[in-house]
Amino acid sequence: RRAGLEVMEVPGATGRIDTDFEGKVAAACEAFERNDLVYLHYEAPDEASHAGDLAMKIEAIERFDEKIVGPLLSRMKEPCRILLLPDHPTFVGTRDHSADPVPFLFRRSPRHEGRERRFSEKEAAQSRVIWSEGHRLMDYFLEG
């Protein structure tokens, strides 16, 4: 709201693993009809980490991929860009936030051919692509 973005109210959006995924995706797609930039937040992996529940964190990430990322990608109009990332790392072992670099996935379309990578902290570290200032990543994303 402070950035001037339109806020979509989604009944059933809880921020937990039981959120209304379909409602979030529908609201994001609706927002894309009026806006060039849409931000969709999903809190469940972070909450699972704070609870120290590895199984729930894995399930939360799998649901994010299956119920948000997949449906959004299938409905997005080309050309488009998507940036997936947590707001900060939260580790199950410590149950707390970390100052470690944030893994991210940036996709341009039409799809850029190249090496396929997994979306994980390990892959992110191996890529050696680190943005020490987060706003620079956003600048890169917006500039394309």
Side-chain angles (χ1 to χ4, degrees), residues 90-129:
T90 306
F91 297 112
V92 172
T94 62
R95 297 183 180 198
D96 204 358
H97 300 157
S98 167
D100 286 8
V102 173
F104 66 90
L105 180 141
F106 174 50
R107 178 190 178 263
R108 272 182 218 154
S109 66
R111 187 169 172 203
H112 181 76
E113 294 301 322
R115 180 174 174 257
E116 291 291 321
R117 295 188 182 262
R118 299 178 64 91
F119 182 56
S120 70
E121 288 87 352
K122 182 178 178 182
E123 276 289 318
Q126 290 175 350
S127 78
R128 299 180 188 248
V129 176

Side-chain angles (χ1 to χ4, degrees), residues 12-33:
T14 64
R16 296 183 308 268
I17 201 163
D18 66 348
T19 196
D20 180 0
F21 293 100
E22 293 81 12
K24 282 181 172 257
V25 169
C29 290
E30 180 185 330
F32 271 122
E33 297 297 321

